[in-house]
Amino acid sequence: MDGGGRVRTTWGSATDCGPFRRLNEDALFACPPLFVVADGMGGHDAGEVAARIAVEEAGRLADRRTVAADDVHLVVREISARVRGAAPAGRTMGTTFAGVGVAHHHGAAYWLVFNIGDSRVYRYAGGELDQISVDHSVVQELVDRGVIAPDEALHHPDRHVITRAIGTGPDAEPDYWLIPVGPADRMLVCTDGLTEELAGGEIAALLGSVADPQAAAEQLVDEAVRRGSRDNVTAIVIDVVTLHAGDDARPGVPGELSAGTTNPRETPAPVPEVDR
Amino acid sequence: MRSDYIPGDGLAVLVDGTAALLPDGCAAELRTALWESMLTGGSLTDHLQVLLRDGLAAAPSFAIVRLEGATAHLVVRGSAQVEITVGDTAEMIGAEQVSTWAEVRRTGVSQVRLTAGRPGAGAQFPARVAVVPATQVVLRTGAPASGTSVAGVASTAAPEAGSPRSVQEPEPRTESPRPEPEPRAETGPRPEPEPEAGLRPEAEIPAETEPRPLPGLRAASPSARVDRPDPDEEADEPAVPAWQPVASVREARREESGQALSEARAVHASTEVPEDHDGLTILSSDVVALRRQLPDWAEDAVPQLSVPTPRTPAPAKLLMSTGLVVSLNRPVLIGRAPQTTRTPGGEVPRLVTVASPNQDISRTHCEIRMDGDDVVVTDLRSTNGVLLLRQGSGAQRLHPGEPTVVEPGVVVDLGEGVTFLVEAGG
């Protein structure tokens, strides 16, 4: 089944403690088919430990060719158990967990995007930057309910208060998205240290102008640090290199037709609609 | 145990030893839900779940307390305030400065007063089980009204005459989980942590040395304790016992003396300094604070958030014209290049890609899922629509976006020769 729509990726990553932090409580894992960031929290080095556990567990999926949501689900369970076990009595530590993996469904290649917390996954394609993941944050709840406008969220005092994380409450369930891989997709996985400093337009401009993914990741992080990020900053940039259409690849795999729009049928079938 | 309320414009719910006060009231459904939750004798967490069911941002101001003997466990949010009396010490707990709430557990409590956070006076009426408009609720335990019994340290000593009062300032000073914009003080010499050492024992954490001799660490967790800086006043304060959750000493001026904490104190020096979170990201999760404070909450005893599993009928199957057989044990999206939007939890739909050389079929054309025993097909506003082909009757076009029940045996046509037959589950 994996003859069609096989994806090869190239990627680059960067992380920086930032000028004000003593510890880097961000961690990342980048190796096909999985690219993950974790933003730990918990005081002292607890956040560091939680984030490291998260990427260690994610690393277990590194030898796969593809990942599925069920795989990620199990990894999250495992992280949750280990983080709880590692937390000293009376202390809580936790971590965000966001990333993208390459998944296959019926011969087509997909980005499996997942998220717990306020780290983010974006897709840059055709000059447009789309935020795929949706934060688990108080501010996002306010935006969803229409209480505040999205641009107010950028400066809202509660913008760092997240409502879901691994290790802190009941077993946290990630949200998932499955998006067909486009031939020229560039994915960005980052922690909030980056999005706090750089606006979407600035991120898009940089992703559009720096071809090498490693250079792009470094420049994104450097720019956030240069602006005096008060948080740790982490970014992974993933590019699609080639889409191998195997021998049995059927027409219609996303890689070939991702930009296509559906053609109306020339003669719509003259049938009545279902009476309801 | 005795409970009284002062009528007013807030809302009080009283069920024996549990009392909730909502200064601004709440919607009728929430009131009913809270009442039912309290009537069924659920835990404080159950009631919290009810109060927070519309999300954190929509949760009303409230104070809720559960008394068990002389132990008070309480949660305060928004404008509500609680005055808690232990011995001859009254302590105010509020949460106006924080975005979540304050949570406190005290033993040796003689009285708990839930107030609307605004002046209110009037006659007190006794009530044990009630839902009443109220501005204040007072619960009295049988505990002695004075004497020092703090936080689980059993004290049978008679009240000392003239013992120094440890009066708490009435103004609430809560430990906000909100991050300070200022990063944690990086000044002063501090040993660099070994990066891979794993979690260091608490005793080695150097930053929390205190400049003044405290007989015991004071809880400065979500509670609103205000420490008087006068050491004399605290001399009679017993040490905070081990279960006291968080003994943050952030308001103590940090002195980088490098001296390790004494062993005894270090055991309790569970130093959670909010600023030292990853700096900015912090968590509002309700269960965080609760879990810390409830030792009887085993990991496996936290069923509140688990989704009840409904009876799962045998999933139907789709027999695709391509030869594929797709089980409906999870929702299925069919299209030329189907994609899912945000899917919470593990129920990620199965994506079925079908060939459409002429692109008659939309990228995400239709969704099929089980609804109880029924198979429901939805045309996801596809360009060319979805047809139902029933034996003995003509083709029918689905209304875009409207879920439609399709019985077994019906053939569903997506265009360009792609069809599937719905087969009942075995």
Side-chain angles (χ1 to χ4, degrees), chain A residues 25 39 44 84 86 91 106 110 160 162 170 175-176 178 192 231 252 257 261 263 265 272-274 276, chain B residues 199 202 276 278 280-282 284 299 305 336 338-340 342-343 351 358-359 384 397 399 402 414:
Chain A
E25 298 193 321
D39 181 349
H44 296 289
R84 288 214 184 106
R91 290 256 300 266
H106 297 288
Y110 285 88
H160 306 296
I162 64 176
D175 288 340
Y176 296 99
L178 278 164
D192 63 336
D231 204 346
L257 295 173
T261 53
N263 298 326
R265 284 174 207 156
E273 296 203 331
V274 173
R276 297 185 58 83
Chain B
L199 269 186
E202 302 288 339
D276 199 39
D278 74 333
L280 295 176
T281 306
I282 55 159
S284 75
E299 299 275 311
L305 293 185
R336 175 164 52 87
Q339 69 178 45
T340 65
R342 184 181 190 176
T343 313
L351 303 184
N358 300 325
Q359 306 198 11
N384 291 315
R397 182 183 298 275
H399 282 280
E402 283 188 25
L414 306 184

Side-chain angles (χ1 to χ4, degrees), chain B residues 11 13 22 24-36 50 53-54 131:
Chain B
L11 171 75
V13 183
L22 286 73
D24 309 312
C26 65
E29 305 91 63
L30 181 58
R31 184 180 66 213
T32 309
L34 180 63
W35 169 237
E36 280 165 3
V50 172
R53 62 182 189 174
D54 297 326
V131 179

Side-chain angles (χ1 to χ4, degrees), chain A residues 172-263:
Chain A
E173 304 257 312
D175 288 340
Y176 296 99
W177 294 257
L178 278 164
I179 306 158
V181 174
D185 278 0
R186 170 170 262 197
M187 304 297 286
L188 168 66
V189 184
C190 60
T191 57
D192 63 336
L194 181 72
T195 47
E196 177 74 12
E197 296 297 330
L198 273 69
E202 296 172 306
I203 293 174
L206 207 149
L207 289 177
S209 62
V210 181
D212 177 56
Q214 180 61 33
E218 285 174 9
Q219 288 186 31
L220 284 170
V221 170
D222 287 351
E223 182 60 23
V225 171
R226 196 185 61 75
R227 295 187 189 184
S229 170
R230 302 206 166 263
D231 204 346
N232 308 139
V233 187
T234 300
I236 309 174
V237 176
I238 306 114
D239 285 344
V240 173
V241 183
T242 43
L243 278 162
H244 289 291
D247 294 338
D248 60 341
R250 294 166 296 178
V253 300
E256 297 170 22
L257 295 173
S258 67
T261 53
T262 308
N263 298 326

Side-chain angles (χ1 to χ4, degrees), chain B residues 163-302:
Chain B
S163 69
R165 287 169 57 91
S166 174
V167 179
Q168 309 294 328
E169 299 286 350
E171 71 191 46
R173 160 128 187 239
T174 50
E175 290 300 306
S176 165
R178 181 175 302 178
E180 310 282 324
E182 204 179 4
R184 179 166 187 220
E186 311 283 81
T187 55
R190 107 187 300 165
E192 277 303 307
E194 297 162 47
E196 291 299 312
L199 269 186
R200 290 166 298 160
E202 302 288 339
E204 289 177 29
I205 296 173
E208 310 305 328
T209 334
E210 293 190 74
R212 59 199 166 98
L214 273 183
L217 284 179
R218 304 294 297 273
S221 59
S223 92
R225 284 207 154 199
V226 179
D227 290 340
R228 275 290 179 86
D230 184 354
D232 286 340
E233 286 193 347
E234 294 166 1
D236 288 349
E237 194 82 22
V240 175
W243 60 261
Q244 192 82 23
V246 178
S248 158
V249 289
R250 63 188 278 242
E251 74 263 60
R253 267 182 302 290
R254 216 168 264 133
E255 196 173 79
E256 302 286 354
S257 68
Q259 281 191 332
L261 295 168
S262 76
E263 286 293 313
R265 185 187 300 168
V267 173
H268 310 305
S270 157
T271 44
E272 178 137 351
V273 183
E275 289 91 341
D276 199 39
H277 282 191
D278 74 333
L280 295 176
T281 306
I282 55 159
L283 182 79
S284 75
S285 167
D286 39 346
V287 199
V288 178
L290 292 170
R291 187 181 290 279
R292 280 204 298 252
Q293 304 217 354
L294 288 176
D296 51 330
W297 273 27
E299 299 275 311
D300 55 356
V302 192

Side-chain angles (χ1 to χ4, degrees), chain A residues 20 55 69 91 129 140 159 218 224:
Chain A
F20 294 98
V55 296
R91 290 256 300 266
L129 184 71
Q140 182 66 43
R159 65 188 180 281
E218 285 174 9

